[in-house]
Amino acid sequence: MLYKATTVFHTFHAQSKQAYKWLQELKTQCPTQDPKIVEEKEEMLPGYEDVNMGSFDISEEQSASISKNFEQLRLRVRREGLMDGSMLFYIRKVLESLAIIALAVSLQMKGWYVLSALLMGLAWQQLGWLVHEFAHNQLFRDHWHNDLASYFVGNFLQGFSSGGWKEQHNIHHAATNVVGRDGDLDLMPLWATVVQDLKMADNWWLSILPYQHIYWSLMLPLLRISWLLQSIVFVHGMPQHYYKYYRERATYEQVTLGLHWVLVLAQLYFLPTMQIRLMFFAISQLTGGFLLAHVVTYNHYSVEKFP
């Protein structure tokens, strides 16, 4: 095994002394370990191998050259400070989201319920990008302060679990658009993102999938609801999680996520009728879901996938 840390390792463990310490220990404890990884290729459906699929049709020499050039670019970008987060920028973006929420509450108090709900959805979409950045450790040099920021903009204001997001999204970045590894591609039984998904569909569902391009758009607003439910399930199970990291942060996530729903229920409580409460909840949540989902659609599902 080559013990040279990869770009992915550097990216996910930047500034982590513990991670690099473990890497050195691995060199000492397993000096000759060479895992024999047998690549298993799934049998493709005849005639449809290239539908929505890309390929790594390059030689090992070309691959090594690309990796070397990318590593040089990565080091240059970091050396020139282009990856250093701007505190003023992030403060401004957080304040902008808080201002949208404040405006929504103000309009709600004046009886502009629909416009208020639409603004809440917009605020949640904007907060989604912020939790993305903080969970990627973009601003602070240590993970702890990035985690705290993600608990505030993610769990507390947005209702999305920071840890749950990392659990799924880091895998997405480690194997972006790789079929069978990137969980973001696994949308069955509702949608088939690659032809191979059709092998998992029941006969009755195969008659529905040809219309997925129609009901895809209709289902976009439900993305936020889906992520909210996934966050609740993930945070509830954090005390028993396999990884110590999540067990140690379970209380922080549970408290901040609980406070989010206290805010949501309090906002609904001050609305005059149950009908308006249901309307406000639906419009705000579905608007936030649609605004998030249309971006995810373009930068995830419209690009090529890889075997």
Side-chain angles (χ1 to χ4, degrees):
M1 175 187 290
L2 295 176
Y3 290 103
K4 180 179 179 181
T6 64
T7 299
V8 173
F9 183 92
H10 289 306
T11 301
F12 282 114
H13 301 290
Q15 308 299 327
S16 174
K17 295 180 180 179
Q18 186 66 50
Y20 286 94
K21 178 182 177 182
W22 287 339
L23 187 65
Q24 294 301 320
E25 292 177 355
L26 182 62
K27 292 181 183 180
T28 304
Q29 297 172 6
C30 308
T32 60
Q33 185 176 358
D34 185 14
K36 303 298 182 182
I37 301 176
V38 179
E39 184 177 356
E40 297 182 1
K41 290 190 176 181
E42 185 178 3
E43 182 181 353
M44 302 295 288
L45 293 176
Y48 297 96
E49 295 89 346
D50 60 346
V51 176
N52 202 27
M53 296 293 291
S55 64
F56 295 113
D57 189 18
I58 58 176
S59 66
E60 291 188 9
E61 291 76 14
Q62 289 174 309
S63 177
S65 177
I66 292 173
S67 297
K68 180 180 179 180
N69 290 336
F70 184 83
E71 180 68 8
Q72 292 175 346
L73 175 63
R74 183 185 71 84
L75 293 175
R76 179 182 175 185
V77 166
R78 287 196 175 277
R79 187 167 55 249
E80 295 182 5
L82 300 179
M83 293 297 290
D84 295 341
S86 168
M87 179 66 73
L88 290 178
F89 172 81
Y90 283 101
I91 290 176
R92 177 171 67 85
K93 297 305 294 184
V94 171
L95 290 178
E96 286 175 356
S97 297
L98 291 174
I100 296 174
I101 294 175
L103 179 58
V105 172
S106 175
L107 291 173
Q108 175 185 333
M109 302 303 291
K110 295 178 181 179
W112 294 67
Y113 303 127
V114 173
L115 183 55
S116 173
L118 291 172
L119 285 174
M120 285 302 303
L122 174 61
W124 285 329
Q125 185 229 26
Q126 292 299 299
L127 289 165
W129 312 135
L130 284 170
V131 68
H132 176 279
E133 298 301 289
F134 287 128
H136 267 309
N137 303 302
Q138 282 291 91
L139 180 56
F140 301 102
R141 290 189 176 275
D142 63 286
H143 287 199
W144 172 239
H145 287 94
N146 282 299
D147 284 346
L148 289 179
S150 70
Y151 298 154
F152 176 69
V153 300
N155 295 53
F156 178 56
L157 293 178
Q158 167 82 322
F160 290 170
S161 165
S162 169
W165 181 89
K166 288 182 180 182
E167 180 90 341
Q168 176 175 334
H169 196 69
N170 284 350
I171 297 175
H172 161 72
H173 276 290
T176 306
N177 280 1
V178 176
V179 178
R181 296 186 182 182
D182 186 349
D184 286 359
L185 299 180
D186 184 13
L187 301 180
M188 290 295 286
L190 294 177
W191 296 282
T193 56
V194 292
V195 173
Q196 292 307 102
D197 288 344
L198 301 178
K199 296 169 63 176
M200 299 184 292
D202 295 328
N203 289 333
W204 67 272
W205 196 255
L206 285 174
S207 63
I208 298 176
L209 284 175
Y211 305 100
Q212 67 175 6
H213 62 291
I214 298 175
Y215 63 79
W216 175 282
S217 299
L218 298 177
M219 300 286 279
L220 288 180
L222 297 179
L223 179 64
R224 175 170 168 80
I225 301 295
S226 174
W227 284 358
L228 287 172
L229 294 175
Q230 290 178 45
S231 293
I232 293 173
V233 171
F234 183 85
V235 169
H236 179 265
M238 284 184 72
Q240 293 80 40
H241 200 280
Y242 175 80
Y243 291 111
K244 180 181 178 182
Y245 170 86
Y246 293 120
R247 296 197 302 271
E248 291 178 341
R249 284 162 168 73
T251 301
Y252 300 102
E253 292 228 26
Q254 290 174 342
V255 170
T256 49
L257 192 66
L259 289 174
H260 168 79
W261 286 104
V262 170
L263 288 180
V264 170
L265 294 175
Q267 188 174 22
L268 295 176
Y269 174 79
F270 286 104
L271 292 170
T273 67
M274 183 58 67
Q275 182 179 3
I276 293 178
R277 289 173 186 142
L278 293 175
M279 177 272 295
F280 188 95
F281 182 83
I283 292 178
S284 60
Q285 300 292 341
L286 296 179
T287 298
F290 175 79
L291 294 176
L292 282 170
H294 91 279
V295 175
V296 173
T297 294
Y298 291 131
N299 62 20
H300 282 64
Y301 303 111
S302 63
V303 297
E304 290 183 332
K305 318 300 184 294
F306 297 92

